[in-house]
Amino acid sequence: GAGVSQSPRYKVAKRGQDVALRCDPISGHVSLFWYQQALGQGPEFLTYFQNEAQLDKSGLPSDRFFAERPEGSVSTLKIQRTQQEDSAVYLCASRRYRVDISGANVLTFGAGSRLTVL
Amino acid sequence: AQSVTQPDIHITVSEGASLELRCNYSYGATPYLFWYVQSPGQGLQLLLKYFSGDTLVQGIKGFEAEFKRSQSSFNLRKPSVHWSDAAEYFCAVGRGGSQGNLIFGKGTKLSVKP
């Protein structure tokens, strides 16, 4: 597609529920990132995929967070047994190449999925 | 460790006035630097980037930024602010190599008064 698409845009979950957030990156983009943006904060890195390989998951806050990209395109971020501290906007970003050919790392972001845990 | 500091949480300027948003970074090597803008309910839009060459970079919407290595700064400027510029602005530093993750500052919220 023309941009990075995320769904759902808004999700309200009761504490303890599992949620799944979807990201459709720009077609053909190799790299995919997930970020978490808490209220009033900047985005913080969660995990990185190169095609279907998850090369870095150092930012995932706990083992309740799981991400996958099985066919190297669409990605899903799953949060099990949600807690109130998981409330945030989850941003997905993609980049065409493994490394931007200009040497910089230009990410295109989706509009995000806002998760509220009650 | 790499980090980005945006010292101003909230700035208010009058429409037509000039704007400067501050950004300081901590990074061991030559940084890749970015400014993104986020409007309410929207994703992050890239305004401009610096990775080498001319230290004054031009971006979209009339914004520019200047990289000053001696001050570890990458301040964003605009000569005349429009009401539509009201948004949150994020400075970020990028890691090189095959991953290229971005580290963001906490953001500066810009309000524009008529």
Side-chain angles (χ1 to χ4, degrees):
Chain A
V4 178
S5 178
Q6 293 188 245
S7 61
R9 289 293 312 277
Y10 303 93
K11 175 70 178 177
V12 178
K14 292 183 179 178
R15 190 162 57 95
Q17 282 185 330
D18 298 348
V19 300
L21 309 176
R22 175 187 171 104
C23 173
D24 279 274
I26 294 173
S27 180
H29 276 202
V30 167
S31 299
L32 185 144
F33 295 78
W34 283 98
Y35 288 82
Q36 181 190 57
Q37 185 177 17
L39 188 64
Q41 302 295 315
E44 293 191 355
F45 169 77
L46 292 177
T47 188
Y48 164 67
F49 288 87
Q50 182 181 307
N51 295 308
E52 70 278 3
Q54 187 175 20
L55 299 185
D56 188 344
K57 52 183 180 179
S58 62
L60 296 177
S62 77
D63 58 8
R64 296 186 295 103
F65 286 71
F66 172 75
E68 61 182 4
R69 194 186 184 197
E71 297 179 358
S73 56
V74 171
S75 177
T76 304
L77 176 67
K78 297 178 180 177
I79 309 173
Q80 297 177 323
R81 305 181 304 282
T82 52
Q83 303 295 314
Q84 284 191 320
E85 61 263 29
D86 301 334
S87 296
V89 175
Y90 291 86
L91 295 167
C92 177
S94 70
R95 183 181 66 210
R96 182 170 183 180
Y97 300 108
R98 183 175 64 83
V99 178
D100 188 86
I101 57 173
S102 64
N105 308 301
V106 181
L107 301 184
T108 301
F109 283 83
S113 292
R114 180 179 296 277
L115 172 64
T116 302
V117 181
L118 303 177
Chain B
Q2 302 138 14
S3 66
V4 176
T5 301
Q6 294 181 248
D8 303 305
I9 297 172
H10 189 189
I11 284 182
T12 300
V13 299
S14 298
E15 192 168 16
S18 63
L19 171 70
E20 183 169 26
L21 301 182
R22 296 183 291 164
C23 172
N24 293 95
Y25 67 89
S26 173
Y27 190 73
T30 300
Y32 301 151
L33 294 162
F34 306 80
W35 276 99
Y36 282 86
V37 61
Q38 187 178 39
S39 297
Q42 302 297 314
L44 294 161
Q45 181 183 21
L46 180 66
L47 285 176
L48 46 78
K49 64 183 182 183
Y50 169 82
F51 56 93
S52 68
D54 194 346
T55 56
L56 184 64
V57 293
Q58 302 297 320
I60 62 171
K61 304 184 180 186
F63 285 92
E64 66 178 26
E66 186 171 13
F67 170 57
K68 293 185 177 180
R69 184 187 300 275
S70 61
Q71 298 176 20
S72 297
S73 70
F74 188 57
N75 294 347
L76 181 72
R77 301 194 293 248
K78 186 170 184 178
S80 178
V81 169
H82 188 262
W83 64 267
S84 61
D85 294 324
E88 188 137 25
Y89 291 80
F90 293 93
C91 181
V93 61
R95 286 166 46 184
S98 62
Q99 185 187 109
N101 179 28
L102 295 183
I103 297 168
F104 287 87
K106 293 186 184 295
T108 298
K109 183 177 180 180
L110 173 66
S111 297
V112 180
K113 58 183 181 181

